[in-house]
Amino acid sequence: MGKCNLDHSAEDVQQKFNLQSQWLPEDIRSLFHEFLVRNPSQTTLNEMFHLLKKYDLVDEQERKERDRKIKWLILNKEDTKA
């Protein structure tokens, strides 16, 4: 995945999740709300957005890697922004 210089809002991430949710594993779908209510940092929002971007178009190996990273972001209890 290439780097993007745009910052993505929580709303952008939610919209991207909504578009891709039918292809995501159930465990990710059921935990996603927890991710957003923790008020993740801008860096984390950007990373999540790009993991979700074009999720439906990637091959199975890439999906497994993205699933692993998405789960880590969801379950990682980072300090939230002020």
Side-chain angles (χ1 to χ4, degrees):
M1 264 179 287
K3 281 287 185 190
C4 174
N5 293 326
L6 294 176
D7 283 340
H8 300 284
S9 67
E11 292 79 21
D12 292 339
V13 174
Q14 181 67 59
Q15 287 177 334
K16 189 59 67 180
F17 171 78
N18 293 343
L19 288 171
Q20 298 296 340
S21 65
Q22 65 184 337
W23 290 281
L24 292 165
E26 175 59 35
D27 58 339
I28 289 175
R29 292 194 313 261
S30 65
L31 292 171
F32 191 78
H33 179 71
E34 179 184 324
F35 169 75
L36 289 178
V37 298
R38 283 199 329 264
N39 197 20
S41 69
Q42 186 62 63
T43 301
T44 302
L45 285 171
N46 291 347
E47 187 173 353
M48 181 64 81
F49 183 89
H50 287 284
L51 289 168
L52 293 169
K53 186 177 179 180
K54 297 185 180 179
Y55 181 92
D56 58 323
L57 301 178
V58 298
D59 64 37
E60 191 62 30
Q61 183 176 353
E62 176 67 17
R63 279 189 189 189
K64 286 180 181 179
E65 181 62 18
R66 287 189 188 199
D67 290 348
R68 185 187 66 74
K69 290 177 181 177
I70 289 169
K71 286 178 190 175
W72 188 88
L73 287 177
I74 290 172
L75 298 173
N76 182 30
K77 309 296 187 211
E78 71 172 9
D79 292 335
T80 57
K81 59 188 175 186

